[in-house]
Amino acid sequence: MANFFTDNKELKFHITHPLMKRIVELRERNFTEKEKYDYAPLDFEDAIDSYENIMSVFGEICADTLAVNAESVDIEGPSLIDNRIHYAKGTVENIEALKKAGLMGFTLPRKYGGLNMPITLYAMTAELISRGDASFSNIYGLQDIAETINEFASQEIKDIYLPRFVNGETGAMVLTEPDAGSDLQRVQLTATYSEKDKIWYLNGVKRFITNGDAEVSLVLARTEEGTSDGRGLSMLLYVRDNTRTIRRIEEKLGIHGSPTAEMVFKNSPAILIGDRKLGLIKYVMALMNAARLGIGGQSVGLCEAACREAEKYASERMQFGKAIIEFPAMYEMLSNMKAKTMASRALFYETARLVDVYKIYHHIEQERQLFKEEKEEAKTYQRLADVFTPLLKAVSSEYSNQIAYDAIQIHGGTGFMKDFPVERIYRDARITSIYEGTTQLQVVAAIRGVETGAYLKRIEEYSARAISHSLNYLKSILLDMTNEYSKMVELVREKKDNEYTSFHARRLVEMAGNIIMGYLVLDMANQDVEYKELTEVFIKLGKAENKQKAEYILNSDIKDLGIFKNITQKAN
Ligand SMILES: Cc1cc2nc3c(=O)[nH]c(=O)nc-3n(C[C@H](O)[C@H](O)[C@H](O)COP(=O)(O)OP(=O)(O)OC[C@H]3O[C@@H](n4cnc5c(N)ncnc54)[C@H](O)[C@@H]3O)c2cc1C
């Protein structure tokens, strides 16, 4: 039996990361739940043991069911019949397998029937699923809807809806409209309150909605008449009924198993979640950040799948009398792919841990007042998570595209055919840098981490950690890269021009990302010599990439922007 959890040593490394102790203690409220539930962990070791068992069951289902079904799901896709979306046969089997194994309601508290798993472990499910079938990650991953309900809804709503997710019902995140994509402030779908019925009614159109026919949806709607910006938007819970029509499901390049719907709401009843006017500013931001973490996992899972397919093929394919993996062009490409996969995975789990800590505090705060030090800790982690999440989403999704591209290259002409999974992986990877906010929008958020010095501060914390003498040569490269990065940040800042900062934003964010990931993999090499070679490959690659970006910044000036504008705006 194959197992996507046990066949990857790095996953265990991340589960046993030192910060997990804090996460588990907080999540388990110092292990007080063992008195109420005989399956709750007794202590930290027991919790880790149980996580590994659960992930092992998960890993087996991903390898033996999801990955096996992936090709037929890709071919069949979902269908729309009588206003209902039907999943492909393999998708239905995948859901059943996870339901049967009791793996729904993954992060939900035990009182609702959930598994009370940390977000870091839930994040890991996105990686494991996507290694088997990235499209399915969008369906299972919509448990984010349940998480958001648990975070912001009233107790009454939680009591009704959360057990439904545990029983396998799915969710949808209903935000995008034809004129409101990256700019969600422009959402026009209205929600009007009826004093008579004591309920809200939704009217309008939404498009590109993943799993649009879900049982429970969270809908971003305009509740404040006469407003036109984000402050007039609220979040509402809608339960599937016949007032909402699915106009069509989209024909897509990839993730065929995941239905993407356009829908019309006509006097559809809905319930307000949390406070009015905080829909976009607070609740959607929280929901999207969770979903962005999920796309990080989807991207890493795709990277892992692409690397494994490429390595297998390169070892077996013979040309010029030898296996192609023996050619420098091939082994270099493959090593870079593996190094980038390890680095983006490290960034992924680091981000998940940061999110985990502050989210748990959010829940504890609903039970009791936080102590001063706890408040401080929660704030620190939230600030870090806010700048790490867009960085992760941008970097990992772009990597999954690059790595899937290279995996096809390693397959040569065969990679262009539908004979091997790599063709599907390539198509599936393409969406990761678009939905849940494009890479450009992630950069708009991540540049704050550059401007406020948040990335630099974190880099300095990493660099203060003790490191084995034998790794000092790699650390000194990272120190040089940090100096170079600080100089470039200063150079751009000196111009005091927002448009110029936006122009170089992606370069600066990626430079910070290379250093951060460099330290994270250095930490892995420090603990296990087996990671040393890939760490060296990654850090040297990061150094070369950062040099190129620094060179570009050094040779640019504000007046260059005029050239780009002339080139692109001549036709207008
Ligand atoms: C398969 C799929 C599934 C989806 N699932 C969901 C879902 O479940 N729920 C949901 O609500 N939505 C969903 N979406 C919508 C998705 O989140 C949006 O497509 C995405 O956010 C981009 O919006 P847009 O398509 O309108 O592109 P636009 O916003 O029109 O962007 C077009 C281009 O302009 C760039 N751009 C825009 N603004 C800026 C800026 N300020 N700075 C720099 N560049 C900018 C973008 O980066 C992009 O390159 C899905 C989309 C797809 C394709």
PDB file of all heavy atoms in Angstrom, residues 32 73 102 116 126 137 186 207 243 246 263 327 359 365 373 396 558 566 572:
ATOM      1  N   THR A  32      -6.948  19.397  28.948  1.00  0.00           N
ATOM      2  CA  THR A  32      -8.088  19.254  29.855  1.00  0.00           C
ATOM      3  C   THR A  32      -9.233  18.464  29.215  1.00  0.00           C
ATOM      4  O   THR A  32     -10.114  17.964  29.916  1.00  0.00           O
ATOM      5  CB  THR A  32      -8.627  20.638  30.270  1.00  0.00           C
ATOM      6  OG1 THR A  32      -8.689  21.455  29.093  1.00  0.00           O
ATOM      7  CG2 THR A  32      -7.729  21.302  31.301  1.00  0.00           C
ATOM      8  N   VAL A  73     -11.162  11.425 -12.951  1.00  0.00           N
ATOM      9  CA  VAL A  73     -11.828  12.655 -12.505  1.00  0.00           C
ATOM     10  C   VAL A  73     -11.523  13.780 -13.494  1.00  0.00           C
ATOM     11  O   VAL A  73     -12.401  14.556 -13.885  1.00  0.00           O
ATOM     12  CB  VAL A  73     -11.352  13.045 -11.077  1.00  0.00           C
ATOM     13  CG1 VAL A  73     -11.778  14.468 -10.733  1.00  0.00           C
ATOM     14  CG2 VAL A  73     -11.886  12.069 -10.031  1.00  0.00           C
ATOM     15  N   GLY A 102     -13.627   8.938   8.904  1.00  0.00           N
ATOM     16  CA  GLY A 102     -13.897   9.921   9.969  1.00  0.00           C
ATOM     17  C   GLY A 102     -12.999  11.139   9.890  1.00  0.00           C
ATOM     18  O   GLY A 102     -12.610  11.701  10.907  1.00  0.00           O
ATOM     19  N   ASN A 116     -10.593  18.296  16.155  1.00  0.00           N
ATOM     20  CA  ASN A 116      -9.795  19.299  16.880  1.00  0.00           C
ATOM     21  C   ASN A 116      -8.316  19.277  16.474  1.00  0.00           C
ATOM     22  O   ASN A 116      -7.425  19.441  17.311  1.00  0.00           O
ATOM     23  CB  ASN A 116      -9.922  19.081  18.393  1.00  0.00           C
ATOM     24  CG  ASN A 116      -9.491  20.318  19.175  1.00  0.00           C
ATOM     25  OD1 ASN A 116      -9.799  21.439  18.782  1.00  0.00           O
ATOM     26  ND2 ASN A 116      -8.755  20.133  20.256  1.00  0.00           N
ATOM     27  N   ALA A 126      -3.899  19.458   2.699  1.00  0.00           N
ATOM     28  CA  ALA A 126      -3.951  20.093   1.366  1.00  0.00           C
ATOM     29  C   ALA A 126      -2.774  19.616   0.527  1.00  0.00           C
ATOM     30  O   ALA A 126      -2.899  19.367  -0.675  1.00  0.00           O
ATOM     31  CB  ALA A 126      -3.938  21.609   1.500  1.00  0.00           C
ATOM     32  N   SER A 137      -8.527  18.980  -3.648  1.00  0.00           N
ATOM     33  CA  SER A 137      -8.130  19.840  -2.534  1.00  0.00           C
ATOM     34  C   SER A 137      -9.114  21.010  -2.392  1.00  0.00           C
ATOM     35  O   SER A 137      -9.376  21.499  -1.291  1.00  0.00           O
ATOM     36  CB  SER A 137      -6.711  20.342  -2.801  1.00  0.00           C
ATOM     37  OG  SER A 137      -6.359  21.325  -1.910  1.00  0.00           O
ATOM     38  N   ARG A 186     -15.943  46.115  -4.975  1.00  0.00           N
ATOM     39  CA  ARG A 186     -16.983  46.455  -5.957  1.00  0.00           C
ATOM     40  C   ARG A 186     -18.153  45.472  -5.982  1.00  0.00           C
ATOM     41  O   ARG A 186     -19.011  45.536  -6.856  1.00  0.00           O
ATOM     42  CB  ARG A 186     -16.354  46.546  -7.352  1.00  0.00           C
ATOM     43  CG  ARG A 186     -15.321  47.655  -7.436  1.00  0.00           C
ATOM     44  CD  ARG A 186     -15.061  48.068  -8.852  1.00  0.00           C
ATOM     45  NE  ARG A 186     -16.283  48.452  -9.548  1.00  0.00           N
ATOM     46  CZ  ARG A 186     -16.361  48.644 -10.853  1.00  0.00           C
ATOM     47  NH1 ARG A 186     -15.285  48.483 -11.609  1.00  0.00           N
ATOM     48  NH2 ARG A 186     -17.489  49.000 -11.425  1.00  0.00           N
ATOM     49  N   ARG A 207     -19.820  34.755  -9.866  1.00  0.00           N
ATOM     50  CA  ARG A 207     -19.201  33.864 -10.853  1.00  0.00           C
ATOM     51  C   ARG A 207     -17.893  33.283 -10.328  1.00  0.00           C
ATOM     52  O   ARG A 207     -17.343  33.770  -9.347  1.00  0.00           O
ATOM     53  CB  ARG A 207     -18.984  34.573 -12.189  1.00  0.00           C
ATOM     54  CG  ARG A 207     -17.839  35.553 -12.200  1.00  0.00           C
ATOM     55  CD  ARG A 207     -17.429  35.875 -13.641  1.00  0.00           C
ATOM     56  NE  ARG A 207     -16.324  36.818 -13.643  1.00  0.00           N
ATOM     57  CZ  ARG A 207     -15.694  37.232 -14.728  1.00  0.00           C
ATOM     58  NH1 ARG A 207     -16.079  36.807 -15.898  1.00  0.00           N
ATOM     59  NH2 ARG A 207     -14.693  38.078 -14.630  1.00  0.00           N
ATOM     60  N   THR A 243     -34.033  28.801  -4.731  1.00  0.00           N
ATOM     61  CA  THR A 243     -34.074  30.204  -5.162  1.00  0.00           C
ATOM     62  C   THR A 243     -32.795  30.578  -5.907  1.00  0.00           C
ATOM     63  O   THR A 243     -32.740  31.604  -6.560  1.00  0.00           O
ATOM     64  CB  THR A 243     -34.210  31.151  -3.953  1.00  0.00           C
ATOM     65  OG1 THR A 243     -33.083  30.952  -3.093  1.00  0.00           O
ATOM     66  CG2 THR A 243     -35.503  30.908  -3.191  1.00  0.00           C
ATOM     67  N   ILE A 246     -27.988  27.782 -10.740  1.00  0.00           N
ATOM     68  CA  ILE A 246     -26.628  27.647 -11.286  1.00  0.00           C
ATOM     69  C   ILE A 246     -26.755  27.841 -12.793  1.00  0.00           C
ATOM     70  O   ILE A 246     -27.399  27.036 -13.470  1.00  0.00           O
ATOM     71  CB  ILE A 246     -26.033  26.244 -10.995  1.00  0.00           C
ATOM     72  CG1 ILE A 246     -26.156  25.871  -9.517  1.00  0.00           C
ATOM     73  CG2 ILE A 246     -24.608  26.142 -11.539  1.00  0.00           C
ATOM     74  CD1 ILE A 246     -25.013  26.138  -8.646  1.00  0.00           C
ATOM     75  N   MET A 263     -23.655  31.716 -10.807  1.00  0.00           N
ATOM     76  CA  MET A 263     -24.969  31.508 -10.185  1.00  0.00           C
ATOM     77  C   MET A 263     -25.735  32.806  -9.964  1.00  0.00           C
ATOM     78  O   MET A 263     -25.127  33.868  -9.830  1.00  0.00           O
ATOM     79  CB  MET A 263     -24.765  30.784  -8.861  1.00  0.00           C
ATOM     80  CG  MET A 263     -23.741  31.478  -7.993  1.00  0.00           C
ATOM     81  SD  MET A 263     -23.403  30.605  -6.489  1.00  0.00           S
ATOM     82  CE  MET A 263     -22.837  29.092  -7.061  1.00  0.00           C
ATOM     83  N   PHE A 327      22.607  13.304 -17.410  1.00  0.00           N
ATOM     84  CA  PHE A 327      23.072  14.514 -18.099  1.00  0.00           C
ATOM     85  C   PHE A 327      22.996  15.716 -17.154  1.00  0.00           C
ATOM     86  O   PHE A 327      21.967  15.899 -16.474  1.00  0.00           O
ATOM     87  CB  PHE A 327      22.217  14.799 -19.338  1.00  0.00           C
ATOM     88  CG  PHE A 327      22.331  13.736 -20.401  1.00  0.00           C
ATOM     89  CD1 PHE A 327      21.248  12.923 -20.715  1.00  0.00           C
ATOM     90  CD2 PHE A 327      23.527  13.541 -21.078  1.00  0.00           C
ATOM     91  CE1 PHE A 327      21.361  11.930 -21.677  1.00  0.00           C
ATOM     92  CE2 PHE A 327      23.637  12.549 -22.049  1.00  0.00           C
ATOM     93  CZ  PHE A 327      22.562  11.740 -22.344  1.00  0.00           C
ATOM     94  N   LYS A 359      -4.658  31.966  15.732  1.00  0.00           N
ATOM     95  CA  LYS A 359      -6.071  31.547  15.596  1.00  0.00           C
ATOM     96  C   LYS A 359      -6.544  30.865  16.875  1.00  0.00           C
ATOM     97  O   LYS A 359      -7.678  31.031  17.300  1.00  0.00           O
ATOM     98  CB  LYS A 359      -6.232  30.575  14.428  1.00  0.00           C
ATOM     99  CG  LYS A 359      -6.102  31.222  13.073  1.00  0.00           C
ATOM    100  CD  LYS A 359      -7.415  31.780  12.599  1.00  0.00           C
ATOM    101  CE  LYS A 359      -7.283  32.300  11.191  1.00  0.00           C
ATOM    102  NZ  LYS A 359      -8.369  33.111  10.740  1.00  0.00           N
ATOM    103  N   GLU A 365      -9.866  33.408  23.426  1.00  0.00           N
ATOM    104  CA  GLU A 365     -10.409  34.714  23.825  1.00  0.00           C
ATOM    105  C   GLU A 365     -11.944  34.692  23.918  1.00  0.00           C
ATOM    106  O   GLU A 365     -12.543  35.489  24.635  1.00  0.00           O
ATOM    107  CB  GLU A 365      -9.953  35.764  22.806  1.00  0.00           C
ATOM    108  CG  GLU A 365      -9.873  37.149  23.389  1.00  0.00           C
ATOM    109  CD  GLU A 365      -9.220  38.116  22.420  1.00  0.00           C
ATOM    110  OE1 GLU A 365      -9.073  37.781  21.235  1.00  0.00           O
ATOM    111  OE2 GLU A 365      -8.860  39.222  22.876  1.00  0.00           O
ATOM    112  N   GLU A 373       0.550  38.803  28.530  1.00  0.00           N
ATOM    113  CA  GLU A 373       1.598  38.151  27.706  1.00  0.00           C
ATOM    114  C   GLU A 373       0.963  37.344  26.572  1.00  0.00           C
ATOM    115  O   GLU A 373       1.516  37.248  25.478  1.00  0.00           O
ATOM    116  CB  GLU A 373       2.465  37.176  28.520  1.00  0.00           C
ATOM    117  CG  GLU A 373       2.943  37.647  29.870  1.00  0.00           C
ATOM    118  CD  GLU A 373       1.866  37.514  30.930  1.00  0.00           C
ATOM    119  OE1 GLU A 373       1.505  36.386  31.281  1.00  0.00           O
ATOM    120  OE2 GLU A 373       1.370  38.575  31.406  1.00  0.00           O
ATOM    121  N   SER A 396       4.950  29.947  -3.451  1.00  0.00           N
ATOM    122  CA  SER A 396       4.682  28.521  -3.686  1.00  0.00           C
ATOM    123  C   SER A 396       3.896  28.312  -4.974  1.00  0.00           C
ATOM    124  O   SER A 396       4.141  27.349  -5.707  1.00  0.00           O
ATOM    125  CB  SER A 396       3.958  27.900  -2.494  1.00  0.00           C
ATOM    126  OG  SER A 396       2.704  28.514  -2.333  1.00  0.00           O
ATOM    127  N   ILE A 558      13.260  56.131 -11.511  1.00  0.00           N
ATOM    128  CA  ILE A 558      11.832  56.454 -11.649  1.00  0.00           C
ATOM    129  C   ILE A 558      11.463  56.764 -13.101  1.00  0.00           C
ATOM    130  O   ILE A 558      10.405  56.368 -13.584  1.00  0.00           O
ATOM    131  CB  ILE A 558      11.448  57.641 -10.737  1.00  0.00           C
ATOM    132  CG1 ILE A 558      11.576  57.222  -9.276  1.00  0.00           C
ATOM    133  CG2 ILE A 558      10.025  58.116 -11.020  1.00  0.00           C
ATOM    134  CD1 ILE A 558      11.158  58.258  -8.274  1.00  0.00           C
ATOM    135  N   ASN A 566       4.874  54.276 -21.908  1.00  0.00           N
ATOM    136  CA  ASN A 566       4.813  54.609 -23.338  1.00  0.00           C
ATOM    137  C   ASN A 566       4.581  53.366 -24.171  1.00  0.00           C
ATOM    138  O   ASN A 566       3.777  53.356 -25.094  1.00  0.00           O
ATOM    139  CB  ASN A 566       6.122  55.252 -23.785  1.00  0.00           C
ATOM    140  CG  ASN A 566       6.129  56.727 -23.473  1.00  0.00           C
ATOM    141  OD1 ASN A 566       5.071  57.303 -23.231  1.00  0.00           O
ATOM    142  ND2 ASN A 566       7.304  57.319 -23.464  1.00  0.00           N
ATOM    143  N   ASN A 572      -3.863  53.339 -26.374  1.00  0.00           N
ATOM    144  CA  ASN A 572      -5.068  53.884 -25.717  1.00  0.00           C
ATOM    145  C   ASN A 572      -5.314  55.358 -26.015  1.00  0.00           C
ATOM    146  O   ASN A 572      -4.523  56.188 -25.885  1.00  0.00           O
ATOM    147  CB  ASN A 572      -4.970  53.691 -24.203  1.00  0.00           C
ATOM    148  CG  ASN A 572      -4.899  52.225 -23.870  1.00  0.00           C
ATOM    149  OD1 ASN A 572      -5.436  51.406 -24.604  1.00  0.00           O
ATOM    150  ND2 ASN A 572      -4.194  51.881 -22.813  1.00  0.00           N
TER     151      ASN A 572
END
